[in-house]
Amino acid sequence: MINIAIDGHVGSGKSTLARGLAQKLGFHVLDTGAIYRGFACAFRDRRSQNIDEQMIENFVKDIKVDIFFEGDLQHVVINGKDYTKHLREEEISVLSSKISPFPVLREKVRLIQRDFADKYNCVMEGRDIGSVVLPNADIKFFVTASEEVRAKRRFEQNKDKSLTFNEILKDLRERDYRDEHRKVAPLKPADDAIILDNSNMTLEQSIDFCLKCMAKKGLKI
């Protein structure tokens, strides 16, 4: 199996890139961020105000995760409830960042990810794919863009404009800090990752960049 790892900052467009690249290659794609967001949705439903290690351990024990696809849309089902339409809510984005550092939760997701990679030629994206989840991936990319560009993208995705651009920029900076400084699997490029700064690139240009890198590496696709 050929496994492609894509990591990067929030708002960098790594999910869109992963889907576009997988479509070009005829590969499967797993949006691992969506799995964490699914956990965040289920955690929110418990209406708990406290987040600590014991609570997360108890939470994970009761969780059954199912992933299925409708066309290109990845559905995340937790304990029989499909949370897909809620995954991109800003509240879920923030909550996901808060619960994802807990080791027991990350191990649960890691098992899902590795099982997927063993079965399919795939593009897998997240924040620790190349460094932790798939350290032996055939090729690794780390996607980023300037803070302002990433905040603008998230602002445009926030259709009801419930948050201002400056509020989104502030949250993005805080999330970057949490992601980069967490004790478990901090966000950083793998040693052998190829850096892709797409601040001034279209999606097609980003996909072409990845395909050229794969060709240079001699990957037969």
Side-chain angles (χ1 to χ4, degrees), residues 23 26 41-42 52 69 80 102-103 110 118 122 132 156 178 184 190 192 196 199-200 202-203 206 208:
Q23 188 174 30
C41 288
D52 57 43
F69 295 85
F102 288 92
R110 193 173 299 133
D118 286 342
C122 71
V132 176
E156 291 173 350
R178 286 199 300 270
V184 179
D192 53 348
L196 169 55
S199 298
N200 299 305
T202 65
L203 174 60
S206 296
D208 287 344

Side-chain angles (χ1 to χ4, degrees), residues 43 48-58 102 104:
F43 190 85
S48 174
Q49 299 300 314
N50 299 317
I51 302 176
D52 57 43
E53 189 169 0
Q54 187 60 55
M55 180 169 291
I56 297 296
E57 285 184 4
N58 293 336
F102 288 92
V104 66

